Amino acid sequence: MTQSATGPATTEASGPAVELRAVHKWYGGFHALRGVDLTVARGERIVICGPSGSGKSTLIRCINQLERHQAGAVTVNGREATADPKALQAIRRAAGMVFQSFNLFPHLTVLQNCTLAPVQTGLATRAEADALAMSYLERVRIAEQALKHPAQLSGGQQQRVAIARALCMRPSIMLFDEPTSALDPEMVKEVLDTMIALASDGMTMLAVTHEMGFARRVADRVIFMDEGQIVESAPPGEFFEHPRHARTQAFLGQLLH
Amino acid sequence: MTDAAVLPPRPAARSTRLVRGLFGSPLNVLLTLLVAWAVWSLAAPLLRWAVFDAVVLPANPAACRDVSGACWSFVAAKSGQILFGIYPIEERWRPMLVCAVLLALLGWSLRPAAWRPSLAIVWVVALPGVLMLMFGGFGGLSFVATTMWGGLPVTLILTVTAIGGAFPLAMLLALGRRSWLPAIRTLCVLFIELTRALPLLSILFIASIMLPLLLPEALLPDKFFRALIALLLFAAAYLAEVIRGGLQAMPRGQYEAAEALGLGYWRTQRHVILPQAIAIVIPSLTSTIIVMIKNTSLVMVVGLFDLISSGRAALADPEWSSPALETYAFIAAIYFALCFGFGRFAQALESRSKDSS
Ligand SMILES: Nc1ncnc2c1ncn2[C@@H]1O[C@H](COP(=O)(O)OP(=O)(O)O)[C@@H](O)[C@H]1O
Ligand SMILES: [Mg+2]
């Protein structure tokens, strides 16, 4: 809970962090989300898994509105996502996002990657942003690389920078979309360790990942998605030991073999 | 002993490689001799004409009478007229100052250390200042109409203003062509495609001959500025397409990352997309800009005196035996310096952006 002291979330600390009500999303004629309901409490850590194409990315991208839903309601930090640019701005500020392919800005240094958005959105002066960025880079243990460009770093280092970059906007919620899937096996651990540290600071987290060790250790709830729907949602112990749905059982069976 | 086996083979010395390249095989020997002969048979007469048999001083018509080489005396005598056209001689310090200021500012602006927002302000102040000095008509300076302007200052003002103005316009057009607003997209496509479909000459003629028929006198800008705007719009259409090529190469993840960080459209373009997109297309931007520098010489067809036309005017002097080759060589050297200088600058810029990614 130490995190909430630095985040902007404290003002609306009462309601849930994220609330999805009957959310539908179509890509053209393709029904990618079919009525998703999900409530994420503050400080809750959620791991989302499911087969490829089941709508996990779409779900997480609807939360920060990189994809607009067409029916239902998405509420983040008590703010409903509407066409209003102010609401959109508030939601994007509240929710930081880490991508599978890092998406760092290659023409900027590590430090500039971290300070661009805080300075440009008026969140901090340049000096404040520099100090903040260095402290977060310290936290993901990469401060000594601050003046390098992303291309000079390994994949694991780049992903840690991407986490620091998102944290520099002082989000109260962090969204991860398969953050370790693009990494070589020996780099997965350093990124997961960073995420575990973040979780132990009390950050609200939604992570799409198939790292089941991480899910067991960190998640309050594991969600299984299939064909655009949440099929099962349970604490990790129950989820892994006694999956109720046949589709979950089949999926977990595949993961283990 | 085993160490030697794992060391990479050392590259041969440069001189060894050179000798091997030139004389390594019978064919190489033959080619080397052929090329050497060709170079010599071209360079020797040229050198004889341009240097050994040439005359530079005294700068009067008599000096060139019995000379078989180049008559640089003419260029020396007429350099003022070639460089500054028919601008009144007693006021010539004004175009001289204008050229000096523009060249100094250009040189200054090419250094990466100078690239801050204040540089744009310097230019925005300098350009009207330069124009005011050319015009005069205040503070005791006599008024000189644009019809009297000529030579290097015209070329420089046209180049700097047309390309300097075209570049930001081109960025907007390139972004507009990819806009999700149909009206903006259509407008940009129409402008770009229409402008590219017309030859520059016809655009210049439209600006100088057709516009006066269509617009009332009071609304009509000076011929010089009509040509300037025509050049600017023409360059913008071409630069926009080059920049759009860079925009198309940008991965979607860059937009998404910026969006997720809460950067709006313009900040995303300004800080994330355009710097990368433009860096990708520096080579084709450079070619386009160099073509546009040389295109400014086409304004002579609408009666403006750029470097080439003022050179031609100087050649009309009956006292001299019209040494056209020398005059055009002199003008070519100036264009070469401008374009080559810009090319080198672009090269430095490119290696700089490669270093950082
Ligand atoms: N931008 C898009 N346009 C069209 N279809 C899409 C788009 N993004 C995702 N989809 C489709 O929506 C479905 C869900 O995709 P996604 O949410 O990425 O799945 P997951 O992350 O679980 O693999 C997939 O069938 C995918 O092909
Ligand atoms: Mg996905």
Side-chain angles (χ1 to χ4, degrees), chain A residues 202-241:
Chain A
M203 176 67 82
T204 309
M205 289 167 67
L206 282 100
V208 176
T209 181
H210 292 146
E211 295 292 336
M212 291 308 155
F214 173 81
R216 277 179 198 279
R217 179 157 172 199
V218 167
D220 298 311
R221 244 194 308 161
V222 182
I223 286 175
F224 175 71
M225 280 190 79
D226 196 19
E227 296 183 343
Q229 285 175 319
I230 293 181
V231 175
E232 183 151 358
S233 165
E238 197 183 320
F239 183 89
F240 290 113
E241 312 316 330

Side-chain angles (χ1 to χ4, degrees), chain A residues 27 30 32 50-59 67 177-178 208, chain B residues 252:
Chain A
Y27 293 111
F30 181 77
S52 171
S54 58
K56 307 179 298 293
S57 298
T58 306
L59 171 68
E67 299 287 358
D177 190 0
E178 307 210 31
V208 176
Chain B
R252 214 176 107 190

